[in-house]
Amino acid sequence: MFDLPRIAQLDWLKHIEYHESLDSTNKLAVRLADQLQPVCPALVLTASQTAGRGRGSNSWLATKGALTFSVVYDREAIGLSPQRLPQLSLAAGLAVRQSIARQTQTPCLVKWPNDVLVSEQKICGILTEQHRTATGAMIVVGIGINVNNSLAATPASFRTSATSLYDATGQLFDLTDTLIDTLDQLNASLCLLRDRPREFFAKLNRFSQLNGRDVEIDDGTRTITGRCLGVDEDGRLLLDDAGTHHRVIAGTVVRW
Ligand code: BTN
């Protein structure tokens, strides 16, 4: 199903951990953290993920034709200060956006903090987790993209809020091509975030679904509302609530 030798040609990738079926690529990445640390960045890939993890207590449903993988980084090697590590999700979101836009010529936007949307419907979810090892720490960036799996036959709650590359374009995609392109973009996006953050955030803001919208954010302790002004260079969402400016570090968008 995947052309593993072609994927292995990506020179920055040091190891591929492939399984026909897995419960969750993030879960395996965390379980193998100590073994994977010397061979990072490592890719954990499966053709069939049966119990994907989502943000918070959510699960991630990946039907046949979806792309599910995790990239495992050694925290020290990423070259970002600890307070900037949450920005990795933004970099992954921008990478997936770039890849989808390139492959499909379809407008595609990122929705802070870590969704990617086509026609306002979610096409990709990202779950970034940290894990301590005996000698340091690993960062697992888990990415699920709806590619050749149609959501047409799924319950209405999915169908109306989610889409796939197939649903958006009527075309089928080579999963190896989509994966390689996404991994290329991920590497480029991380380098841009690390080396030229101003440029990174300008680009992110060019493709932000929430900019200019009235939004409501649950930051875990309270609900914050306001007109979205964009994402600042610390990765915080800027909201203008009748002249009062809020900078939200982390949270869930409950209305937009
Ligand atoms: C979300 O939107 O809630 C995040 C979903 C993240 C899903 C991906 S699929 C690959 C990786 N493995 C997992 O178990 N989850 C992530």
Side-chain angles (χ1 to χ4, degrees), residues 19-54:
H19 296 265
E20 283 293 321
S21 178
L22 278 180
D23 50 1
S24 152
T25 56
N26 268 36
K27 197 167 158 193
L28 183 68
V30 167
R31 201 162 72 228
L32 295 182
D34 284 283
Q35 279 158 256
L36 292 178
Q37 192 161 20
V39 287
C40 275
L43 172 69
V44 181
L45 176 66
T46 185
S48 166
Q49 181 172 264
T50 55
R53 301 210 289 227

mmCIF file of all heavy atoms in Angstrom, residues 19-54:
data_model
loop_
_atom_site.group_PDB
_atom_site.id
_atom_site.type_symbol
_atom_site.label_atom_id
_atom_site.label_comp_id
_atom_site.label_asym_id
_atom_site.label_seq_id
_atom_site.Cartn_x
_atom_site.Cartn_y
_atom_site.Cartn_z
ATOM 1 N N HIS A 19 3.556 -0.514 10.359
ATOM 2 C CA HIS A 19 2.710 -1.654 10.736
ATOM 3 C C HIS A 19 1.441 -1.599 9.887
ATOM 4 O O HIS A 19 0.865 -0.522 9.718
ATOM 5 C CB HIS A 19 2.349 -1.590 12.222
ATOM 6 C CG HIS A 19 3.540 -1.718 13.116
ATOM 7 N ND1 HIS A 19 3.934 -2.916 13.666
ATOM 8 C CD2 HIS A 19 4.454 -0.802 13.517
ATOM 9 C CE1 HIS A 19 5.034 -2.726 14.379
ATOM 10 N NE2 HIS A 19 5.374 -1.461 14.311
ATOM 11 N N GLU A 20 1.021 -2.788 9.399
ATOM 12 C CA GLU A 20 -0.212 -2.845 8.589
ATOM 13 C C GLU A 20 -1.384 -2.248 9.357
ATOM 14 O O GLU A 20 -2.211 -1.545 8.811
ATOM 15 C CB GLU A 20 -0.552 -4.306 8.241
ATOM 16 C CG GLU A 20 0.289 -4.910 7.131
ATOM 17 C CD GLU A 20 0.009 -4.247 5.782
ATOM 18 O OE1 GLU A 20 -1.161 -3.949 5.503
ATOM 19 O OE2 GLU A 20 0.976 -4.015 5.026
ATOM 20 N N SER A 21 -1.462 -2.605 10.652
ATOM 21 C CA SER A 21 -2.566 -2.117 11.472
ATOM 22 C C SER A 21 -2.045 -1.755 12.862
ATOM 23 O O SER A 21 -1.171 -2.440 13.395
ATOM 24 C CB SER A 21 -3.628 -3.220 11.563
ATOM 25 O OG SER A 21 -4.676 -2.784 12.389
ATOM 26 N N LEU A 22 -2.571 -0.693 13.402
ATOM 27 C CA LEU A 22 -2.160 -0.235 14.742
ATOM 28 C C LEU A 22 -3.384 0.367 15.431
ATOM 29 O O LEU A 22 -4.268 0.907 14.753
ATOM 30 C CB LEU A 22 -1.141 0.895 14.632
ATOM 31 C CG LEU A 22 0.329 0.588 14.403
ATOM 32 C CD1 LEU A 22 1.087 1.911 14.347
ATOM 33 C CD2 LEU A 22 0.881 -0.288 15.516
ATOM 34 N N ASP A 23 -3.390 0.342 16.740
ATOM 35 C CA ASP A 23 -4.460 1.095 17.414
ATOM 36 C C ASP A 23 -4.244 2.598 17.190
ATOM 37 O O ASP A 23 -5.130 3.306 16.726
ATOM 38 C CB ASP A 23 -4.585 0.722 18.904
ATOM 39 C CG ASP A 23 -3.262 0.747 19.662
ATOM 40 O OD1 ASP A 23 -2.219 1.075 19.054
ATOM 41 O OD2 ASP A 23 -3.268 0.437 20.868
ATOM 42 N N SER A 24 -3.030 3.070 17.489
ATOM 43 C CA SER A 24 -2.762 4.501 17.340
ATOM 44 C C SER A 24 -1.265 4.705 17.092
ATOM 45 O O SER A 24 -0.438 4.179 17.843
ATOM 46 C CB SER A 24 -3.192 5.226 18.624
ATOM 47 O OG SER A 24 -2.432 6.387 18.830
ATOM 48 N N THR A 25 -0.942 5.474 16.057
ATOM 49 C CA THR A 25 0.486 5.724 15.771
ATOM 50 C C THR A 25 1.111 6.555 16.895
ATOM 51 O O THR A 25 2.274 6.364 17.238
ATOM 52 C CB THR A 25 0.657 6.449 14.416
ATOM 53 O OG1 THR A 25 -0.103 7.657 14.432
ATOM 54 C CG2 THR A 25 0.228 5.576 13.255
ATOM 55 N N ASN A 26 0.338 7.473 17.488
ATOM 56 C CA ASN A 26 0.891 8.254 18.605
ATOM 57 C C ASN A 26 1.181 7.350 19.800
ATOM 58 O O ASN A 26 2.211 7.483 20.463
ATOM 59 C CB ASN A 26 -0.104 9.341 19.041
ATOM 60 C CG ASN A 26 0.141 10.656 18.331
ATOM 61 O OD1 ASN A 26 0.511 10.666 17.168
ATOM 62 N ND2 ASN A 26 -0.061 11.768 19.022
ATOM 63 N N LYS A 27 0.261 6.408 20.045
ATOM 64 C CA LYS A 27 0.432 5.523 21.202
ATOM 65 C C LYS A 27 1.689 4.671 21.024
ATOM 66 O O LYS A 27 2.486 4.529 21.951
ATOM 67 C CB LYS A 27 -0.817 4.642 21.330
ATOM 68 C CG LYS A 27 -0.964 3.976 22.665
ATOM 69 C CD LYS A 27 -2.352 3.398 22.789
ATOM 70 C CE LYS A 27 -2.360 2.308 23.835
ATOM 71 N NZ LYS A 27 -3.601 1.529 23.777
ATOM 72 N N LEU A 28 1.885 4.131 19.819
ATOM 73 C CA LEU A 28 3.085 3.315 19.592
ATOM 74 C C LEU A 28 4.339 4.185 19.697
ATOM 75 O O LEU A 28 5.345 3.772 20.277
ATOM 76 C CB LEU A 28 3.038 2.624 18.225
ATOM 77 C CG LEU A 28 4.240 1.700 17.982
ATOM 78 C CD1 LEU A 28 4.193 0.489 18.927
ATOM 79 C CD2 LEU A 28 4.324 1.223 16.544
ATOM 80 N N ALA A 29 4.268 5.389 19.151
ATOM 81 C CA ALA A 29 5.435 6.284 19.202
ATOM 82 C C ALA A 29 5.841 6.547 20.652
ATOM 83 O O ALA A 29 7.021 6.521 20.993
ATOM 84 C CB ALA A 29 5.110 7.599 18.495
ATOM 85 N N VAL A 30 4.859 6.763 21.501
ATOM 86 C CA VAL A 30 5.159 7.016 22.919
ATOM 87 C C VAL A 30 5.710 5.742 23.564
ATOM 88 O O VAL A 30 6.676 5.787 24.331
ATOM 89 C CB VAL A 30 3.879 7.519 23.644
ATOM 90 C CG1 VAL A 30 4.069 7.482 25.155
ATOM 91 C CG2 VAL A 30 3.541 8.938 23.182
ATOM 92 N N ARG A 31 5.130 4.589 23.210
ATOM 93 C CA ARG A 31 5.594 3.325 23.809
ATOM 94 C C ARG A 31 7.049 3.028 23.409
ATOM 95 O O ARG A 31 7.821 2.505 24.195
ATOM 96 C CB ARG A 31 4.672 2.186 23.371
ATOM 97 C CG ARG A 31 4.743 1.012 24.304
ATOM 98 C CD ARG A 31 3.582 0.062 24.179
ATOM 99 N NE ARG A 31 3.613 -0.713 22.951
ATOM 100 C CZ ARG A 31 2.576 -0.853 22.151
ATOM 101 N NH1 ARG A 31 1.434 -0.277 22.433
ATOM 102 N NH2 ARG A 31 2.680 -1.577 21.054
ATOM 103 N N LEU A 32 7.403 3.395 22.170
ATOM 104 C CA LEU A 32 8.751 3.090 21.679
ATOM 105 C C LEU A 32 9.726 4.255 21.886
ATOM 106 O O LEU A 32 10.832 4.240 21.333
ATOM 107 C CB LEU A 32 8.705 2.779 20.179
ATOM 108 C CG LEU A 32 7.936 1.543 19.736
ATOM 109 C CD1 LEU A 32 8.052 1.380 18.221
ATOM 110 C CD2 LEU A 32 8.422 0.300 20.442
ATOM 111 N N ALA A 33 9.313 5.246 22.655
ATOM 112 C CA ALA A 33 10.085 6.495 22.742
ATOM 113 C C ALA A 33 11.570 6.257 23.016
ATOM 114 O O ALA A 33 12.428 6.829 22.335
ATOM 115 C CB ALA A 33 9.486 7.410 23.795
ATOM 116 N N ASP A 34 11.889 5.402 23.976
ATOM 117 C CA ASP A 34 13.309 5.198 24.322
ATOM 118 C C ASP A 34 14.082 4.603 23.152
ATOM 119 O O ASP A 34 15.217 5.008 22.880
ATOM 120 C CB ASP A 34 13.432 4.300 25.558
ATOM 121 C CG ASP A 34 13.104 5.086 26.817
ATOM 122 O OD1 ASP A 34 13.963 5.867 27.256
ATOM 123 O OD2 ASP A 34 11.965 4.944 27.313
ATOM 124 N N GLN A 35 13.453 3.640 22.446
ATOM 125 C CA GLN A 35 14.124 3.011 21.295
ATOM 126 C C GLN A 35 14.271 3.965 20.121
ATOM 127 O O GLN A 35 15.234 3.910 19.372
ATOM 128 C CB GLN A 35 13.302 1.814 20.798
ATOM 129 C CG GLN A 35 13.493 0.555 21.589
ATOM 130 C CD GLN A 35 12.281 -0.336 21.377
ATOM 131 O OE1 GLN A 35 11.433 -0.426 22.247
ATOM 132 N NE2 GLN A 35 12.190 -0.977 20.226
ATOM 133 N N LEU A 36 13.262 4.839 19.946
ATOM 134 C CA LEU A 36 13.269 5.712 18.764
ATOM 135 C C LEU A 36 14.189 6.921 18.937
ATOM 136 O O LEU A 36 14.634 7.500 17.943
ATOM 137 C CB LEU A 36 11.849 6.193 18.443
ATOM 138 C CG LEU A 36 10.875 5.124 17.949
ATOM 139 C CD1 LEU A 36 9.496 5.718 17.725
ATOM 140 C CD2 LEU A 36 11.378 4.477 16.650
ATOM 141 N N GLN A 37 14.490 7.266 20.173
ATOM 142 C CA GLN A 37 15.255 8.511 20.402
ATOM 143 C C GLN A 37 16.561 8.574 19.597
ATOM 144 O O GLN A 37 16.843 9.600 18.975
ATOM 145 C CB GLN A 37 15.530 8.709 21.885
ATOM 146 C CG GLN A 37 16.048 10.105 22.164
ATOM 147 C CD GLN A 37 15.890 10.495 23.614
ATOM 148 O OE1 GLN A 37 15.734 9.649 24.482
ATOM 149 N NE2 GLN A 37 15.934 11.783 23.877
ATOM 150 N N PRO A 38 17.349 7.479 19.544
ATOM 151 C CA PRO A 38 18.596 7.582 18.766
ATOM 152 C C PRO A 38 18.374 7.658 17.255
ATOM 153 O O PRO A 38 19.309 7.975 16.520
ATOM 154 C CB PRO A 38 19.353 6.290 19.109
ATOM 155 C CG PRO A 38 18.617 5.665 20.230
ATOM 156 C CD PRO A 38 17.231 6.190 20.221
ATOM 157 N N VAL A 39 17.171 7.339 16.787
ATOM 158 C CA VAL A 39 16.935 7.327 15.329
ATOM 159 C C VAL A 39 15.881 8.359 14.923
ATOM 160 O O VAL A 39 15.087 8.143 14.018
ATOM 161 C CB VAL A 39 16.547 5.911 14.831
ATOM 162 C CG1 VAL A 39 17.744 4.992 14.841
ATOM 163 C CG2 VAL A 39 15.395 5.335 15.634
ATOM 164 N N CYS A 40 15.879 9.475 15.604
ATOM 165 C CA CYS A 40 14.933 10.554 15.305
ATOM 166 C C CYS A 40 15.514 11.520 14.281
ATOM 167 O O CYS A 40 16.730 11.682 14.261
ATOM 168 C CB CYS A 40 14.631 11.347 16.569
ATOM 169 S SG CYS A 40 13.343 10.588 17.519
ATOM 170 N N PRO A 41 14.683 12.167 13.493
ATOM 171 C CA PRO A 41 13.237 12.048 13.398
ATOM 172 C C PRO A 41 12.822 10.691 12.813
ATOM 173 O O PRO A 41 13.418 10.210 11.847
ATOM 174 C CB PRO A 41 12.837 13.168 12.451
ATOM 175 C CG PRO A 41 13.976 14.135 12.460
ATOM 176 C CD PRO A 41 15.200 13.297 12.680
ATOM 177 N N ALA A 42 11.812 10.099 13.445
ATOM 178 C CA ALA A 42 11.314 8.793 13.018
ATOM 179 C C ALA A 42 9.847 8.924 12.611
ATOM 180 O O ALA A 42 9.116 9.741 13.168
ATOM 181 C CB ALA A 42 11.459 7.792 14.151
ATOM 182 N N LEU A 43 9.473 8.102 11.652
ATOM 183 C CA LEU A 43 8.080 8.082 11.184
ATOM 184 C C LEU A 43 7.410 6.815 11.694
ATOM 185 O O LEU A 43 7.957 5.721 11.534
ATOM 186 C CB LEU A 43 8.058 8.083 9.647
ATOM 187 C CG LEU A 43 6.708 7.865 8.976
ATOM 188 C CD1 LEU A 43 5.780 9.059 9.195
ATOM 189 C CD2 LEU A 43 6.889 7.619 7.468
ATOM 190 N N VAL A 44 6.263 6.947 12.330
ATOM 191 C CA VAL A 44 5.454 5.787 12.705
ATOM 192 C C VAL A 44 4.225 5.830 11.804
ATOM 193 O O VAL A 44 3.462 6.801 11.827
ATOM 194 C CB VAL A 44 5.054 5.818 14.200
ATOM 195 C CG1 VAL A 44 4.234 4.587 14.552
ATOM 196 C CG2 VAL A 44 6.291 5.913 15.086
ATOM 197 N N LEU A 45 4.058 4.773 11.020
ATOM 198 C CA LEU A 45 3.052 4.794 9.951
ATOM 199 C C LEU A 45 2.236 3.512 9.983
ATOM 200 O O LEU A 45 2.770 2.441 10.271
ATOM 201 C CB LEU A 45 3.800 4.896 8.610
ATOM 202 C CG LEU A 45 2.995 4.845 7.319
ATOM 203 C CD1 LEU A 45 2.093 6.073 7.183
ATOM 204 C CD2 LEU A 45 3.939 4.772 6.110
ATOM 205 N N THR A 46 0.955 3.647 9.689
ATOM 206 C CA THR A 46 0.126 2.453 9.561
ATOM 207 C C THR A 46 -0.859 2.613 8.402
ATOM 208 O O THR A 46 -1.251 3.744 8.072
ATOM 209 C CB THR A 46 -0.646 2.158 10.873
ATOM 210 O OG1 THR A 46 -1.350 0.927 10.727
ATOM 211 C CG2 THR A 46 -1.647 3.245 11.215
ATOM 212 N N ALA A 47 -1.243 1.473 7.828
ATOM 213 C CA ALA A 47 -2.255 1.510 6.766
ATOM 214 C C ALA A 47 -3.652 1.530 7.367
ATOM 215 O O ALA A 47 -4.619 1.909 6.705
ATOM 216 C CB ALA A 47 -2.094 0.294 5.862
ATOM 217 N N SER A 48 -3.762 1.108 8.615
ATOM 218 C CA SER A 48 -5.082 1.027 9.233
ATOM 219 C C SER A 48 -4.990 1.336 10.726
ATOM 220 O O SER A 48 -4.446 0.546 11.489
ATOM 221 C CB SER A 48 -5.636 -0.384 9.001
ATOM 222 O OG SER A 48 -6.735 -0.609 9.833
ATOM 223 N N GLN A 49 -5.491 2.481 11.100
ATOM 224 C CA GLN A 49 -5.467 2.861 12.519
ATOM 225 C C GLN A 49 -6.856 2.608 13.110
ATOM 226 O O GLN A 49 -7.851 3.123 12.608
ATOM 227 C CB GLN A 49 -5.077 4.333 12.659
ATOM 228 C CG GLN A 49 -4.998 4.792 14.105
ATOM 229 C CD GLN A 49 -4.424 6.185 14.231
ATOM 230 O OE1 GLN A 49 -3.243 6.367 14.466
ATOM 231 N NE2 GLN A 49 -5.272 7.178 14.072
ATOM 232 N N THR A 50 -6.895 1.804 14.187
ATOM 233 C CA THR A 50 -8.197 1.339 14.687
ATOM 234 C C THR A 50 -8.707 2.120 15.905
ATOM 235 O O THR A 50 -9.892 2.078 16.202
ATOM 236 C CB THR A 50 -8.106 -0.150 15.064
ATOM 237 O OG1 THR A 50 -7.017 -0.306 15.991
ATOM 238 C CG2 THR A 50 -7.866 -1.007 13.830
ATOM 239 N N ALA A 51 -7.829 2.805 16.617
ATOM 240 C CA ALA A 51 -8.276 3.538 17.819
ATOM 241 C C ALA A 51 -7.468 4.824 17.952
ATOM 242 O O ALA A 51 -6.733 5.020 18.933
ATOM 243 C CB ALA A 51 -8.131 2.663 19.059
ATOM 244 N N GLY A 52 -7.618 5.692 16.963
ATOM 245 C CA GLY A 52 -6.838 6.932 16.946
ATOM 246 C C GLY A 52 -7.214 7.851 18.102
ATOM 247 O O GLY A 52 -8.370 7.923 18.511
ATOM 248 N N ARG A 53 -6.190 8.525 18.596
ATOM 249 C CA ARG A 53 -6.421 9.461 19.692
ATOM 250 C C ARG A 53 -6.603 10.860 19.132
ATOM 251 O O ARG A 53 -5.885 11.275 18.214
ATOM 252 C CB ARG A 53 -5.218 9.479 20.638
ATOM 253 C CG ARG A 53 -4.922 8.128 21.224
ATOM 254 C CD ARG A 53 -4.306 8.224 22.591
ATOM 255 N NE ARG A 53 -2.942 8.705 22.604
ATOM 256 C CZ ARG A 53 -1.961 8.119 23.299
ATOM 257 N NH1 ARG A 53 -2.211 7.009 23.969
ATOM 258 N NH2 ARG A 53 -0.771 8.639 23.325
ATOM 259 N N GLY A 54 -7.559 11.604 19.706
ATOM 260 C CA GLY A 54 -7.737 13.000 19.335
ATOM 261 C C GLY A 54 -7.388 13.892 20.506
ATOM 262 O O GLY A 54 -6.901 13.415 21.532
#
